[in-house]
Structure formats: structure tokens, C-alpha cells
Amino acid sequence: MMVPKLEDELENLRPVVIVEDSNSAKKPNLKGDWLNFFLLLLLYTMQGIPFGLALVMPIILQSKKNVSYKDQAIFSLVSWPESLKLIWAPLVDALYVHKMGRRKSWLIPVQYLMGACFIYMASNIDEWLPETRKPDILKLVYVFFFMGILVATLDIVVDGWSLTMLKRNNVGYASTCNSTGMVMGIMLSYIFSVLLTSEDFSNKHLRIRPDVGGVFTMKILKKEKDNRLEDDHVKLNIVQNYSLIWDILKLPGIKLLALTLLTAKIGFAATDSLAILKLIDAGVPKDNIMFIHTPLFVVKMFLPLVVAKYTSGPKPMNVYLTATPFRLFLNISFGVLIYYTPTLITTNGFVNISMYYYAFLIFILSIHDILDNIMRVALLSFFSRISDSRFGGTYMSFLGTLLTLGGAWSSSVAIGMVDFLTFKRCSLDHQNSCSTENLKNMCKTIGGDCVVIVNGYYVETAVCTIIGIIWFCIFRKILKNFQTKGRSYWLVDIKRPRK
């Protein structure tokens, strides 16, 4: 009869964890945390390189002129692993080798697999992406989808590690490392995969004598802390880690936060997914667009450091909400620019782009990328502040999945619907709607052209902007209210297993 009493006494002796609310935590100070800061920056940079390749591939495909928006919609599936990573995030949290480390057990194998994947891609890229024939979209999707799984796994690992690598008062800086590092990796991908592989760019800017092809071809230690020593460590098996997702969903406010994140990107879907592709269709060379983007990466690398003062504080979502109306206004600006681009860059039937046009293009792209980067840093900082560090990989992946899933589904719908919402008519036969390949060929046979009557891009831009305004009016107060909640509001209630 003494055993129950002994168990009760032991239960009372277990340490009580005092959780600081976000508003009462110490002010951020990187003294003693700089090495960890730079290590996180390096890890996110490594993650950004393959992620950047997936981002730049639609631009390369669009420049081939024989790739349809249906093909682009199929390729957009490669972004889905980032949205589905919650499926295997609990495995990453639950399975590891103690001697190697909770995060390094996954980090090292994933890096080796990514290296092998790069070698395989480099040896087959000429076959998948020929100069004259239509690209092999399906093979590109397969390899980039697998690469996406590896990148998403790396994201789970690094996001989870960032919550314990940095001191609690500095955890807001994890978003700075994420945004700056990812931009650095993406910039390297853009430079090597687009600009340095371009024959035109290389001959104009990098070579003394013109030559064939680009100057580059696409053929081309920290000891981890024992997680058992972390505050309030709880060891969960695989089943418990998956059930953790349900425990997170049961938290007050999470369902509403989930709805917020799943719909946050609708207002910007048309511009983010189609604006660059439409500029290329309008006649702006892809090399010039990428050349403009390259110096913007430098701005985006240092921008998170500049805004860290505001995003690492207790209310990072104030920054996000402030930037949202300006981002919605850019939808209209991009629409007007794309509408007038064919007129502005054409002289006597020849493309002749003036410096004034490029100046305005640089300005609008700069504002768009800066606002997008600031909003992302603010969101990631908010995620870092509310995530339960005991289950960092799963918790951060849960929030990140909601955000990326919101962007993925809205982007895929925007790309997939643009042809459906575009209406054409044969210039010599008004009864011919040019809606099928046969009708298009019939129009060409009689010497006519399929003329666009209603451009689906402008329809989508208008609809997305209206939805974005409604979203802002509904969720503004909700997001501000979330910031007033302390960390205890977001902690998962897990009973400590008895030993």
C-alpha cells in the first residue's frame, strides 16, 4: 500500500517548468550566440540552393516558347513536398541516433542524398531540357519532386534545431537566418542556372569574343547538444509523435491560425505565380529579368538583418500586416505594366527596350521582392516564438506546412486556371474560338491569328486582389490578438511518461 504514496511523492518532485510569456522574455542579444547564428545561416544557405533551382526552372521552361501553361501547372507540383512535409516530420523528431545527435542523424544523410541527386541531374539535364525539342516535363517533375522531399526534410531538421541552438531570447533571429540564408542559396542557383548558362548574357557581359553556349553548363563542425538535457525533455515514440499533430490541432486558436495561413496567399497568387511568365510572353528577355533579380538578392540577404529589430520583438505580425496593403496594391501595378509592355518595348515591329522601362521594372520588382521578404521574415519569427521547442521539428513543420500549402494550392490554381479564363478568337473567322488545337490549326490554315479577347491573367489579378482585401479586413484583428498570447498558450500538453 506504500507504492501509490511513493509514486505520488515522486510525481510532486518532478521539476516544474516555468514558461516565460513572449512579452516578458529577455530582450534579444546575440552575445555568445554569434557562432550559432552563422551556423544556422550556413545551413539555410545550403537548403536554398536546390530550392532556388526549382524556382528558376519555370522561367527557363517559359523561355523555350514550346511549353504551355498546362506544362507549367504540372511542373508546379514540385513545390508540394514542402506543403506535405508534416507527413514525415514526426519521424524526423522520433527517429535518431543519440551518439550522432537528434538533428545530425538526419542532416548528414540528407546532404549526401542531395549531392547524389545533383550529380544525377547534371548527367541528364541536356536530355531533359533540349535546346530545340520540347522539354521532358515528367522526368523533370520526378527528379525535382524527389529533391523537394529532401529539401523539405532538411527544413524540418534545421527549423527544429534552430529552436534549441539559439538562446530562448534570441529565437526570433532564426527567421533572419532562414530568410537571409535561403536568399543566398537561391541567388547562387539563379546565377549558375540562368545567367552563366545563357549564351547571349555570356557574350554580352562576360566574354571578349563571342562563343557558343554559356560560360557555365548545367552539367557541372558543430557538436550537437544532447537533447535529453533540454528543458522539460520528453521522449516520444513514432506513434506518439504522429499523435502530437492532433494534440497541436487541439490547442486553442490553432484551427483559426490554420485557416489564416491556408488563405493568406490567395491575394497575391496571380502576381506571384504569373507576373514574370507574362513579362516573358510580352517580349522581355528572361536573361534581362534574371539580371535584374540578381542584385535584388543582395538586398534581400541583408534586409532581414535590417528589419530584425522589429521582427525579432514580441509583435512581428505588426510588420506583416503593415506590408499587406502595399503588396495588394502591387497586383494592380503589375497588371498595368504587363498590359502596356508590348507597346512600350516595341518600335517599328522590333523589340527595343528603353532604360526608362527597365528603371520602372527594377523599381516594381524591388518593391515586390522586399515586401515579400519582410512578410516572410515576420511570419517565421512568429512561428519561432510560439513553437514548442520540445517538439520543434514537428511543430515548426506543422506551421510551415500550413503556410506553404496555402501558397502551393493557390499558385497551382492560378497557373492552371489562366488558360481556362482566357478567351481567344480567330482574326479571320469570328466563329472560331481557338479553344482547341484543331481550331487553332484551322485558323492558321486560312492565314489568321488567334487573338486574345479576354486575358485570364487580368481576370485572376482582379479576383485575387478583391479576395486579398476581404482577407485583410477579416484576419487583421485575429493576427493582432494572437500576438497578445503568451508562450504557454501555444505549448502542447503532453504527460511525461512514467519511468
Side-chain angles (χ1 to χ4, degrees):
M1 297 299 293
M2 293 297 294
V3 175
K5 292 183 178 179
L6 180 59
E7 286 187 355
D8 291 341
E9 291 178 4
L10 290 175
E11 184 72 23
N12 293 331
L13 289 175
R14 286 173 180 165
V16 177
V17 178
I18 300 175
V19 180
E20 288 183 330
D21 285 350
S22 60
N23 294 331
S24 61
K26 295 179 181 178
K27 291 183 178 180
N29 185 357
L30 284 174
K31 184 177 180 180
D33 240 357
W34 280 108
L35 288 178
N36 295 326
F37 180 88
F38 286 116
L39 176 58
L40 274 180
L41 188 65
L42 174 63
L43 291 174
Y44 280 119
T45 300
M46 296 166 65
Q47 182 181 329
I49 293 174
F51 185 75
L53 284 176
L55 286 179
V56 77
M57 192 55 62
I59 297 174
I60 297 175
L61 293 174
Q62 194 70 14
S63 66
K64 298 295 181 182
K65 300 299 182 184
N66 54 3
V67 175
S68 66
Y69 280 99
K70 180 181 178 181
D71 295 326
Q72 291 282 15
I74 294 173
F75 188 82
S76 70
L77 295 175
V78 303
S79 66
W80 280 81
E82 182 71 15
S83 305
L84 302 174
K85 63 184 178 182
L86 188 60
I87 295 174
W88 64 93
L91 288 177
V92 177
D93 266 349
L95 300 178
Y96 53 90
V97 180
H98 277 296
K99 289 185 178 180
M100 185 179 293
R102 187 181 186 184
R103 308 304 178 188
K104 289 167 65 178
S105 296
W106 288 88
L107 182 69
I108 295 173
V110 167
Q111 288 290 353
Y112 275 111
L113 283 173
M114 287 174 63
C117 196
F118 274 125
I119 295 173
Y120 177 68
M121 285 170 50
S123 61
N124 292 278
I125 194 65
D126 285 344
E127 179 184 347
W128 299 338
L129 201 64
E131 287 296 327
T132 55
R133 304 189 318 274
K134 184 175 180 178
D136 194 330
I137 298 295
L138 289 181
K139 288 185 178 179
L140 287 171
V141 169
Y142 293 150
V143 71
F144 273 97
F145 192 89
F146 178 70
M147 180 70 81
I149 293 175
L150 296 178
V151 173
T153 304
L154 184 60
D155 192 40
I156 296 169
V157 174
V158 180
D159 281 350
W161 201 1
S162 69
L163 298 181
T164 55
M165 185 184 297
L166 295 173
K167 297 175 183 177
R168 183 67 236 176
N169 60 307
N170 290 329
V171 74
Y173 282 106
S175 64
T176 304
C177 297
N178 186 315
S179 297
T180 301
M182 288 289 286
V183 169
M184 291 172 66
I186 293 171
M187 182 182 69
L188 292 174
S189 297
Y190 270 48
I191 291 174
F192 283 98
S193 62
V194 177
L195 295 183
L196 299 188
T197 59
S198 169
E199 177 181 328
D200 185 55
F201 179 84
S202 299
N203 288 337
K204 283 183 179 180
H205 304 286
L206 302 178
R207 290 189 177 121
I208 298 176
R209 296 179 180 178
D211 201 352
V212 178
V215 297
F216 178 82
T217 173
M218 292 189 70
K219 286 186 174 181
I220 295 207
L221 212 33
K222 176 182 172 67
K223 183 178 180 181
E224 185 177 353
K225 181 177 67 175
D226 189 342
N227 66 288
R228 290 170 292 185
L229 302 178
E230 295 173 2
D231 294 339
D232 199 26
H233 167 66
V234 177
K235 171 62 177 175
L236 302 180
N237 58 36
I238 297 176
V239 175
Q240 290 171 324
N241 264 282
Y242 274 102
S243 65
L244 177 65
I245 299 173
W246 178 247
D247 293 325
I248 295 174
L249 277 171
K250 290 192 296 184
L251 291 174
I254 280 290
K255 292 184 180 65
L256 188 55
L257 178 59
L259 178 62
T260 305
L261 297 175
L262 286 172
T263 56
K265 295 291 187 72
I266 298 177
F268 321 119
T271 298
D272 291 352
S273 305
L274 295 165
I276 298 299
L277 304 182
K278 284 297 181 180
L279 283 171
I280 295 174
D281 284 346
V284 182
K286 71 172 177 62
D287 295 346
N288 293 356
I289 293 177
M290 291 300 99
F291 184 65
I292 292 171
H293 264 296
T294 301
L296 292 180
F297 284 123
V298 179
V299 176
K300 291 194 287 185
M301 277 192 290
F302 293 101
L303 185 65
L305 301 175
V306 176
V307 301
K309 176 181 178 182
Y310 306 99
T311 57
S312 61
K315 296 183 177 181
M317 294 308 293
N318 285 355
V319 178
Y320 182 91
L321 292 171
T322 301
T324 299
F326 296 99
R327 185 95 178 272
L328 290 172
F329 177 75
L330 281 179
N331 290 348
I332 303 172
S333 302
F334 269 106
V336 173
L337 175 65
I338 292 169
Y339 181 81
Y340 285 106
T341 288
T343 304
L344 295 174
I345 68 174
T346 305
T347 304
N348 298 325
F350 296 95
V351 175
N352 182 21
I353 306 178
S354 68
M355 294 303 298
Y356 297 105
Y357 177 86
Y358 277 126
F360 184 73
L361 181 60
I362 291 172
F363 174 76
I364 192 172
L365 286 176
S366 301
I367 298 299
H368 174 270
D369 287 1
I370 288 172
L371 289 177
D372 179 60
N373 204 36
I374 289 175
M375 294 170 72
R376 184 173 183 274
V377 173
L379 275 172
L380 293 178
S381 180
F382 179 65
F383 292 168
S384 298
R385 287 196 163 275
I386 68 175
S387 293
D388 193 331
S389 60
R390 297 172 299 169
F391 324 104
T394 301
Y395 209 124
M396 286 287 285
S397 295
F398 176 78
L399 297 175
T401 294
L402 293 173
L403 180 63
T404 54
L405 186 59
W409 79 261
S410 58
S411 175
S412 294
V413 170
I415 297 174
M417 290 290 291
V418 66
D419 281 339
F420 179 77
L421 296 174
T422 298
F423 298 95
K424 298 180 180 180
R425 187 172 60 189
C426 183
S427 58
L428 298 181
D429 181 6
H430 291 178
Q431 301 300 318
N432 187 341
S433 63
C434 293
S435 57
T436 64
E437 287 297 325
N438 289 335
L439 291 175
K440 291 178 183 178
N441 292 333
M442 289 175 58
C443 183
K444 290 180 181 179
T445 301
I446 62 176
D449 293 318
C450 289
V451 181
V452 175
I453 305 301
V454 177
N455 194 317
Y457 169 71
Y458 303 117
V459 176
E460 286 192 9
T461 299
V463 172
C464 287
T465 302
I466 293 171
I467 294 176
I469 294 172
I470 296 173
W471 182 95
F472 181 74
C473 294
I474 294 174
F475 289 98
R476 181 185 180 187
K477 290 184 178 180
I478 294 173
L479 287 174
K480 285 193 171 185
N481 182 54
F482 282 152
Q483 294 185 126
T484 64
K485 307 296 183 181
R487 283 190 61 237
S488 57
Y489 182 80
W490 306 99
L491 290 182
V492 183
D493 183 16
I494 296 290
K495 292 183 179 180
R496 187 187 296 272
R498 295 182 183 272
K499 298 182 180 180

